[in-house]
Amino acid sequence: MAANFGLYYPFIHFKDDNWLKLSAVYFDKMYRIVPSTYTTEDSDTVRDLEGFVDVVRPEWASPAFGETFGQFIHQYHTRLVDRYGVAKADQ
């Protein structure tokens, strides 16, 4: 069985602890992009889910990756929103 990862984007701090708990049922790991120089202010829930919530540092990505990622978001925006949009949080 392949790993199932989520990316919490474009925010750093989780807006809804209940959403995060529910996402732990469906995903193996939830990543968020946090610069190494940024200090997060996490809720108790986020700290309790330390093994589930993980960080990707933007410093590792080259400018070419950023351009490719931006093109991906632009190209698949509608499909991504249809499948993963916040409006579907209750589904």
Side-chain angles (χ1 to χ4, degrees):
M1 181 182 208
N4 188 16
F5 301 124
L7 175 62
Y8 192 74
Y9 178 85
F11 303 107
I12 291 174
H13 294 105
F14 295 96
K15 307 294 183 194
D16 185 336
D17 284 345
N18 288 326
W19 178 89
L20 183 61
K21 291 176 201 175
L22 184 62
S23 71
V25 173
Y26 294 99
F27 292 101
D28 298 320
K29 199 171 260 303
M30 181 61 63
Y31 289 96
R32 59 184 172 169
I33 301 170
V34 182
S36 59
T37 57
Y38 187 84
T39 302
T40 58
E41 296 177 15
D42 292 330
S43 68
D44 290 339
T45 300
V46 175
R47 286 190 292 276
D48 289 343
L49 291 172
E50 180 181 357
F52 172 68
V53 175
D54 208 344
V55 169
V56 174
R57 301 288 182 200
E59 296 88 10
W60 67 263
S62 68
F65 174 82
E67 289 176 28
T68 302
F69 183 70
Q71 290 168 357
F72 172 83
I73 296 296
H74 179 75
Q75 181 177 351
Y76 294 103
H77 175 265
T78 301
R79 289 173 62 186
L80 291 166
V81 169
D82 287 347
R83 183 164 182 178
Y84 302 108
V86 173
K88 296 189 173 241
D90 293 333
Q91 297 178 3

